[in-house]
Amino acid sequence: MIRKHDITRTTFRSVATALAVLALFAAPLSASAFFQDPVEQEEEAEYNLYKGEVLDASSKKPLVFASLSVEESNISTITNTEGEFSLKIPSDLTQANITVSFLGYSTQSIPLSQLKEERNKILMVPSVLKLNEVNVEVPKDAESLVREVLKSKGENYFDDPTLMTAFYRETIKKRRKNVSLSEAVVNIYKTPYTSLKKDGVKLYKARKSTDYSKLDTVALKLQGGPFNALFIDIMKYPEYIFSPESLDYYTFRFDHSTRVNDKLIYVISFEQLPEILDPLYKGQLYIDAENKILTSAIYSLNITDREMAARMFVRRKPKNAKVWPTDVAYRVDYREKNGKWYYSYSNVLLEFKVNWDKRLFNSVYSMTCEMAVTDWKKNMMEDFPKAKDRIKTSIILSDEAIGFADPDFWGQYNIIEPEKSIESAIKKIQRQLRRASSDGGTSIP
């Protein structure tokens, strides 16, 4: 049997450094100041807010991570895990159309004039493959197609520096209860897809609150912040999953085809070879059939070795606890503009157990982080923040609940509509803040 870590130790080290790292501390850390960069603040623009949900027209089931974008602009958002969306549009864009797309469904273009401020229901109809598409000649070798897609990123993805505005959310749950919530608006200084230079991230506005009373006296931290989501951009950072070397450790095969944005999409399933014992990945790649472009990827870690997976993802832990992941899942989506594609959305799910010495029951936690690009423009001056102004890949977002007291905290910036459980958590934080304020305090205990 081949032991992969004997021959690709460097690859594993880079993956572990990049993707969703945990740090467990034996006691709660003190809260530090809420961050807002005054240099980046702009005068708040007038905007209109539209809310609603995207549903399957027949079953009325919510469509999770459906894409909504404003035509003739770079403004966009996605639906949450309950199919709900929130979209802020400058008030001067009164004649715009909203494009709504979802994998396997016909794309819709809806005049803005048809939307209400609240309770919009957008019904999507499944896209049926035409007979000539069903019979379209599929490449014989799935692996060769994947290699071709990775090799052609300079032709198909943004080749200019780009300044992106993105919304980031990070949650920690103990079983089903929310115990920590972080949110931020960041500026991403995206370098060309052919450049070896890593993207830079600058924090603009953030808020976070943690209920340490529910964390078993352990302060649970997700190290990396927005970089956990950003490094899932396979086309920019293929080395974290598909390096030229690691491609040889997978088997690729064609699955069913589908459609998105009225384009035929090949679905390629991949998994590690059976003789590879160490943890690799398995999932699906969604590739534009005509242009050979990766449009989405959904995959997870194949946890074949619990101890090795723990070493990959756990940086610090108490001596009297064993910690290991039970599920590690990723998703990345790309969007097209004028024939070029770019990073649009990604999420990471990490579920794990904490086994305490001399305790009868395990603690079960889940951590999720997601980031959606909500606007962008070409960075033709190639501005790039200085090292002191950029957040580091080792960042752990600091605790501060002040921003939760302000219902207009995000102003004109688009965010991912919070799920009902997160919305309830925010309301609970707001109640605690009001109580603390009435008692003469300034923060949540």
Side-chain angles (χ1 to χ4, degrees), residues 181 183 207-210 400-410 415 418 422-438 441-445:
L181 172 63
E183 296 178 325
R207 63 186 187 180
K208 179 177 180 178
S209 180
T210 302
E400 184 54 58
I402 292 175
F404 288 99
D406 181 4
D408 297 317
F409 182 75
W410 297 118
I415 69 170
I422 294 177
E423 194 170 10
S424 297
I426 292 175
K427 290 179 179 177
K428 181 179 179 181
I429 295 168
Q430 291 171 339
R431 289 195 299 270
Q432 290 174 319
L433 285 171
R434 286 196 294 269
R435 263 199 316 269
S437 178
S438 63
T442 58
S443 63
I444 294 178

Side-chain angles (χ1 to χ4, degrees), residues 101-370:
S101 59
F102 188 76
L103 192 67
Y105 286 73
S106 298
T107 299
Q108 287 199 43
S109 180
I110 303 172
L112 191 58
S113 59
Q114 293 184 10
L115 294 183
K116 304 170 292 185
E117 291 184 358
E118 300 274 352
R119 299 181 181 179
N120 292 285
K121 291 187 183 294
I122 299 175
L123 303 180
M124 303 287 283
V125 178
S127 177
V128 179
L129 291 178
K130 299 176 182 177
L131 185 60
N132 61 336
E133 292 178 333
V134 174
N135 296 328
V136 70
E137 183 177 351
V138 177
K140 295 180 180 180
D141 188 347
E143 181 181 338
S144 296
L145 177 58
V146 172
R147 290 181 181 272
E148 180 183 352
V149 168
L150 293 172
K151 187 178 180 180
S152 302
K153 64 181 181 180
E155 303 170 17
N156 298 321
Y157 295 81
F158 274 6
D159 52 5
D160 291 322
T162 309
L163 177 58
M164 295 177 165
T165 300
F167 178 75
Y168 172 79
R169 177 179 288 132
E170 174 186 304
T171 61
I172 301 175
K173 291 184 178 182
K174 182 180 178 183
R175 297 194 184 273
R176 295 183 178 181
K177 294 183 178 180
N178 285 289
V179 295
S180 183
L181 172 63
S182 310
E183 296 178 325
V185 169
V186 298
N187 291 327
I188 303 173
Y189 293 79
K190 202 91 169 95
T191 57
Y193 274 81
T194 52
S195 172
L196 296 178
K197 184 178 181 180
K198 283 185 166 53
D199 303 324
V201 180
K202 192 172 182 180
L203 191 62
Y204 169 64
K205 199 173 187 181
R207 63 186 187 180
K208 179 177 180 178
S209 180
T210 302
D211 187 348
Y212 289 107
S213 65
K214 296 178 181 177
L215 284 173
D216 287 333
T217 69
V218 170
L220 190 65
K221 302 286 183 177
L222 180 62
Q223 182 176 312
F227 284 103
N228 284 313
L230 186 59
F231 284 160
I232 310 305
D233 182 351
I234 292 178
M235 297 307 299
K236 176 64 178 176
Y237 304 104
E239 64 270 22
Y240 294 141
I241 177 172
F242 292 140
S243 66
E245 181 185 36
S246 65
L247 276 170
D248 294 331
Y249 304 123
Y250 290 98
T251 177
F252 298 87
R253 62 177 176 81
F254 285 100
D255 210 327
H256 62 280
S257 296
T258 185
R259 292 181 66 87
V260 66
N261 287 330
D262 299 324
K263 297 178 183 292
L264 179 64
I265 301 294
Y266 293 141
V267 181
I268 294 182
S269 294
F270 65 93
E271 59 185 353
Q272 68 188 80
L273 294 168
E275 60 265 28
I276 304 297
L277 301 182
D278 295 343
L280 280 178
Y281 299 93
K282 58 182 177 180
Q284 289 78 40
L285 305 173
Y286 297 83
I287 296 175
D288 182 310
E290 180 180 359
N291 300 302
K292 310 299 188 293
I293 294 168
L294 181 70
T295 63
S296 294
I298 301 173
Y299 57 103
S300 60
L301 182 70
N302 186 23
I303 303 177
T304 57
D305 187 318
R306 194 171 75 179
E307 291 186 3
M308 178 171 287
R311 290 197 297 271
M312 289 172 64
F313 291 97
V314 181
R315 280 292 174 266
R316 296 176 60 181
K317 67 178 184 65
K319 291 182 178 180
N320 64 331
K322 293 182 180 179
V323 185
W324 66 90
T326 58
D327 188 17
V328 184
Y330 306 94
R331 178 191 180 108
V332 61
D333 295 327
Y334 297 89
R335 186 175 281 123
E336 181 264 342
K337 182 76 172 186
N338 298 327
K340 293 285 187 177
W341 292 73
Y342 64 95
Y343 164 78
S344 171
Y345 172 79
S346 62
N347 67 40
V348 181
L349 166 67
L350 178 58
E351 294 182 348
F352 62 98
K353 287 186 177 180
V354 180
N355 190 3
W356 298 94
D357 292 345
K358 300 179 181 179
R359 289 195 191 181
L360 184 60
F361 299 105
N362 294 331
S363 299
V364 180
Y365 293 96
S366 63
M367 307 180 73
T368 60
C369 66
E370 60 181 341

